[in-house]
Amino acid sequence: MSTVEESAPDLRLAGPLGWTVVLSYVACNVFLVATTSPDRGSLLPHVVGLVIFAAAAAAAALLPGRRLTRAVTAALAVVPGLLALLVSWDLPTDRFPGYSAWHLGAGSFVLFFLAARGHLVSAWCGMAGLVAVTLAWFGTTGQDWRGLPDLLLTHLSFLVVGTTAGVVLHRAARQISAVAARARSRRAAHAARLAEAAERHRRLAWLEQNVRPALERLAEGHLPGQEERARLAVLEAEVRDRLRGGALDVPGVVAAVRAARLRGVAVEVMDDGGLSDVPDPAAVLAPIPGLLDGVAAGRVVIRILPPRRAAVASVVVETAEGTRRSTIGPDGAVDSPDAPSPGPSSSGPATSDAPSSGPPPSRDVGEHHVLARQRQPQPAVGRDDLDEAKPER
């Protein structure tokens, strides 16, 4: 029965002002019942009607929310007809009822707010019920039909005003919502452009500060020594890290990875996006430097896992003694085995994280750069070996 759109404005009467309006209208109807009591027989139907009207008026005008529920809407639409059934046959029949027919104004008050809040069909169904009961009363009591327009026209006009207000305000609300959505979209696009520009400038500044001096020395014909070649290899690896492991580009992790590489450890970083769903990324990244500090040789793979995993990051350490896999949860808690799993030289079955057979990784394993003239081999710990399941789509 409701025709309210998702963009419906909140047209209820809120706060003390709303209660003042509702209570004032209820008080006016109580006054009409009290002052026209000689014109009727029993007072009980009118008292019951006033109680029903007070509850319906408060619900129609004061209930929070942009829309009323179907049950509330249906109940409010029935109220005007119910008031007419209670009161009409207790009205005087020898003259025009006038203010004795207080239920007509009370019913139209409820239907006005029903229409203004967007429930147009329900409101007009309620008015149809009110008119039908009034016509039945006219027909059964022998009233002069010429007085019917004077009795109903004012209340029909009241509902027309409510309907017009509902249509106009809801249309305006839709337009305002569309304009606001376009404005939000423009602001989001502008913010994205600013973020992209800031990130681009940050990366260019880092390249300008760290990479350009080395490239200029090489372009001038400078031949680096063994120690400088090692530093340049680490610098090249850091450039790759910033591309494929952006979430790990924080000072603490970068410093720990650089120190490990200078010790001869082959370090690989990967970012599969799981850190974006974590409320405190710093807590997840904090344990990584500690996991690297104790590694003197071998290979380490640091990976941010895909979203919706129980763990957020994994650190796989491969040494001559075996392979150890540690995981980090969303709260930064580290889950590590007590001892590394045996390597290929040990007796016993290899685990899913065990390296492939072959010689232990040397200082330059996995570091593919121009100066060393080496080709990057297949990693001993493959990407599929780091997790039991494929990344979720």
Side-chain angles (χ1 to χ4, degrees), residues 56-369:
L62 301 175
L63 277 181
R66 297 181 179 274
R67 64 171 66 217
L68 300 172
T69 64
R70 290 186 177 181
V72 172
T73 303
L76 293 178
V78 170
V79 165
L82 180 60
L83 292 177
L85 286 172
L86 284 172
V87 175
S88 295
W89 277 266
D90 197 53
L91 296 177
T93 58
D94 55 346
R95 62 184 182 277
F96 187 73
Y99 290 116
S100 299
W102 62 270
H103 63 283
L104 298 176
S108 61
F109 180 86
V110 174
L111 297 178
F112 172 87
F113 282 100
L114 204 58
R117 298 184 72 165
H119 303 277
L120 304 180
V121 175
S122 298
W124 281 100
C125 286
M127 178 57 73
L130 177 62
V131 171
V133 175
T134 303
L135 291 175
W137 175 70
F138 261 75
T140 57
T141 58
Q143 295 293 313
D144 186 358
W145 292 95
R146 291 175 297 180
L148 185 63
D150 294 336
L151 194 63
L152 294 178
L153 190 57
T154 301
H155 309 294
L156 287 169
S157 302
F158 196 29
L159 182 55
V160 169
V161 172
T163 301
T164 303
V167 171
V168 172
L169 292 177
H170 282 76
R171 180 178 300 172
R174 288 194 298 270
Q175 295 172 349
I176 292 172
S177 178
V179 171
R182 289 195 295 268
R184 287 193 299 269
S185 177
R186 286 195 297 268
R187 287 195 298 268
H190 181 63
R193 288 194 298 269
L194 291 179
E196 291 174 359
E199 179 66 16
R200 183 167 57 252
H201 293 159
R202 187 179 69 87
R203 294 193 177 191
L204 289 175
W206 185 87
L207 292 172
E208 185 76 17
Q209 179 181 357
N210 296 279
V211 179
R212 182 171 180 174
L215 293 179
E216 287 179 346
R217 287 197 303 272
L218 294 174
E220 291 171 357
H222 172 71
L223 295 178
Q226 187 65 28
E227 183 178 351
E228 186 177 1
R229 291 165 70 91
R231 289 199 303 269
L232 290 175
V234 171
L235 180 61
E236 180 187 358
E238 289 180 359
V239 174
R240 291 198 306 271
D241 292 347
R242 296 171 72 88
L243 296 177
R244 63 187 182 185
L248 295 162
D249 185 21
V250 296
V253 176
V254 171
V257 170
R258 182 185 298 119
R261 283 169 172 158
L262 291 175
R263 292 195 301 268
V265 181
V267 183
E268 182 181 358
V269 299
M270 292 179 285
D271 178 14
D272 287 331
L275 204 61
S276 60
D277 295 339
V278 177
D280 188 7
V284 176
L285 299 178
I288 294 178
L291 295 174
L292 289 175
D293 288 344
V295 183
R299 182 182 183 83
V300 177
V301 179
I302 307 171
R303 181 189 181 199
I304 302 297
L305 302 177
R308 296 180 297 277
R309 297 285 182 90
V312 180
S314 66
V315 179
V316 179
V317 180
E318 177 190 332
T319 63
E321 291 77 18
T323 300
R324 182 179 70 254
R325 182 176 187 269
S326 304
T327 57
I328 305 174
D331 57 352
V334 180
D335 181 15
S336 299
D338 295 334
S341 58
S345 60
S346 304
S347 60
T351 64
S352 61
D353 287 331
S356 59
S357 61
S362 65
R363 175 184 180 89
D364 291 324
V365 170
E367 300 294 344
H368 169 62
H369 50 85

